[in-house]
Amino acid sequence: MLDPLQHRHDVQQLGVTPFGDRLAAAFAERGHLCVGIDPHPWLLEAWELPDDARGVRDFGLRAVEAAAGQACAIKPQVAFFERHGATGYSALEAVLAEARDAGLIVIADAKRGDVGSTVEAYGRAWLSIGSPLEADAMTVSAYQGAGSLDAVRALATAQGKGLFVLAATSNPESFGLQQAIVPGTGETVAAAIAHEVSGWNHARIPGSFGLVLGATVELGAYGIDPHRLAGTPVLAPGFGHQGAQFSDIRRLFGPLADTALVSVSRSVLQVGPERLAEAVRRHSAEVSECLA
């Protein structure tokens, strides 16, 4: 059983700052924009880069350079690097290191999930201080129950890292499962996950444990009340290319908008490397204006 008080003490003993505190500082300094780094083959071609490990490395480093000082965070989609094998992971390590050095919040979009020592091992790969793949937070799946994440949650707490747990995602094939009712609770699967994860933060605002809530879904359809989750970090994909508008942030998320990472990828990446920094700057300013 996870003892949150013990692990909070462990964080203090290690001298690390909790992820939620660092996230709050990044919001205050650089706003709420999160730039996804998704080197699709068609984007590599448009950027005149080869579809290999060197190409994804250059793509990622250019995206980090454009985001530095202007965005709150970057979110590399691990799969696009992983498909190039060991050299792809080496490329990702370089991108992660450059982003950390640039002072960006780094979220590994890895969507890992399992039980016991296996999920802990995933955490050690992505969340351990000094790991070649070190990130500030990672996305995880609670398909085997939120309790299946206890080991990686304990590790994240001890290392001053964060988790974003999939809850209400925007892909249509997820609706039936995520809106299913948990027996004996009257809650949907998505709402049950959201409420449990929010509780992990013990009313700390923002906490270190957040949710992935798609900006193209209506939270009410999942029985999710943002007011019950206020202060919980939210990773919100779906803006830009997928159709959600920055002007809808507060309507979509209510009080959660103040702790939301507004994630964009294709809508900025498709402008190309020469115009990328300006696109990031413009998007960041628009998000800040909508949250003012």
Side-chain angles (χ1 to χ4, degrees):
M1 179 68 68
L2 183 75
D3 181 346
L5 295 178
Q6 177 61 49
H7 285 289
R8 190 175 299 154
H9 174 72
D10 291 345
V11 169
Q12 296 169 345
Q13 289 293 102
L14 283 170
V16 296
T17 303
F19 172 71
D21 291 3
R22 289 186 284 116
L23 186 61
F27 284 154
E29 293 171 9
R30 297 185 298 279
H32 288 246
L33 188 71
C34 175
V35 177
I37 301 181
D38 302 0
H40 295 269
W42 65 270
L43 277 172
L44 292 170
E45 182 178 2
W47 284 34
E48 298 183 348
L49 292 171
D51 187 5
D52 58 19
R54 181 174 65 84
V56 296
R57 181 182 186 276
D58 289 350
F59 185 100
L61 291 176
R62 292 184 191 183
V64 167
E65 182 180 15
Q70 302 190 111
C72 173
I74 56 114
K75 179 178 69 67
Q77 170 47 257
V78 171
F80 289 109
F81 295 84
E82 188 174 69
R83 69 191 183 92
H84 295 292
T87 56
Y89 267 106
S90 179
L92 178 57
E93 289 173 10
V95 173
L96 296 175
E98 189 72 15
R100 291 197 307 273
D101 288 346
L104 289 158
I105 293 288
V106 181
I107 302 169
D109 196 356
K111 298 183 177 70
R112 300 299 196 246
D114 212 312
V115 296
S117 59
T118 305
V119 75
E120 181 183 10
Y122 284 133
R124 291 196 180 280
W126 297 102
L127 303 178
S128 291
I129 296 172
S131 167
L133 292 169
E134 181 185 354
D136 295 291
M138 66 184 291
T139 58
V140 292
S141 170
Y143 183 78
Q144 291 160 283
S148 69
L149 301 174
D150 279 354
V152 72
R153 177 161 62 109
L155 176 69
T157 302
Q159 298 287 305
K161 304 294 188 177
L163 300 174
F164 286 93
V165 185
L166 301 176
T169 59
S170 57
N171 56 308
E173 59 269 27
S174 72
F175 296 166
L177 177 62
Q178 294 174 1
Q179 293 180 7
I181 301 300
V182 179
T185 69
E187 289 190 316
T188 67
V189 170
I193 290 172
H195 295 146
E196 184 158 356
V197 171
S198 180
W200 293 349
N201 292 315
H202 301 282
R204 193 181 185 99
I205 300 177
S208 295
F209 303 110
L211 300 164
V212 179
L213 300 175
T216 57
V217 303
E218 291 293 337
L219 297 183
Y222 295 80
I224 295 176
D225 179 358
H227 291 85
R228 290 188 60 185
L229 306 172
T232 303
V234 170
L235 179 60
F239 290 95
H241 185 84
Q242 294 182 52
Q245 304 297 313
F246 296 147
S247 57
D248 290 331
I249 295 172
R250 290 213 176 272
R251 178 185 66 79
L252 292 168
F253 297 108
L256 287 174
D258 293 321
T259 48
L261 282 159
V262 178
S263 184
V264 297
S265 53
R266 282 171 286 182
S267 61
V268 292
L269 298 173
Q270 66 188 6
V271 305
E274 301 304 321
R275 297 168 53 205
L276 182 59
E278 174 55 33
V280 171
R281 185 180 306 112
R282 185 176 66 253
H283 280 61
S284 184
E286 290 177 11
V287 170
S288 294
E289 183 177 347
C290 290
L291 289 174

